[in-house]
Amino acid sequence: MKRLIVSFAVLSLLFVYNYYSEKYVLDYCSYLDSTLERCADELKEKKYSSAENTADELMKSWEKNDIILSVFIGDSSVVEPEKSIISLYGSIGDKNYSYCLLAVRECQGYIHEICESTQTNFANIL
């Protein structure tokens, strides 16, 4: 009976961990996507100083949360978005605005891929 209770407690702990880690990753990805979209809108409207501020905010947020994301979703899933964010940040700093929009869309693609692979559904379980 004690083994059954312990196994149920461990299983419950794993479900709670899965729920909160999935919620954290999806909320953070939503934040990243909206920030990237805001940056893209500012680039389209040629508000380059606002786009620089948004890219700086994005870079600081990524540096703060990349370790937690790599724990929750794995190091290999974090590498490509990190490259795109650094590329975007560097391009805006170099005033290479024609490349910036491409970097934003590329990073959004990686973020959407993370969201799809993180969500618990039948396809991801198999």
Side-chain angles (χ1 to χ4, degrees), residues 79-124:
V79 171
E80 293 301 323
E82 183 173 21
K83 287 180 186 177
S84 294
I85 290 172
I86 291 171
S87 176
L88 169 67
Y89 183 74
S91 296
I92 287 183
D94 293 340
K95 300 188 183 339
N96 184 3
Y97 302 120
S98 61
Y99 177 75
C100 291
L101 195 56
L102 177 66
V104 166
R105 297 303 181 212
E106 181 181 8
C107 190
Q108 282 180 323
Y110 292 130
I111 298 301
H112 287 284
E113 184 178 319
I114 289 172
C115 288
E116 288 176 8
S117 66
T118 301
Q119 290 177 337
T120 304
N121 57 31
F122 190 67
N124 287 345

Side-chain angles (χ1 to χ4, degrees), residues 3-37:
R3 290 181 186 170
L4 184 63
I5 292 172
V6 170
S7 64
F8 180 73
V10 169
L11 184 63
S12 298
L13 184 65
L14 289 174
F15 277 127
V16 168
Y17 170 77
N18 182 49
Y19 173 76
Y20 283 110
S21 65
E22 181 178 333
K23 182 172 177 10
Y24 177 82
V25 169
L26 293 177
D27 288 346
Y28 186 65
C29 285
S30 175
Y31 164 76
L32 286 176
D33 190 44
S34 65
T35 305
L36 286 165
E37 192 60 41

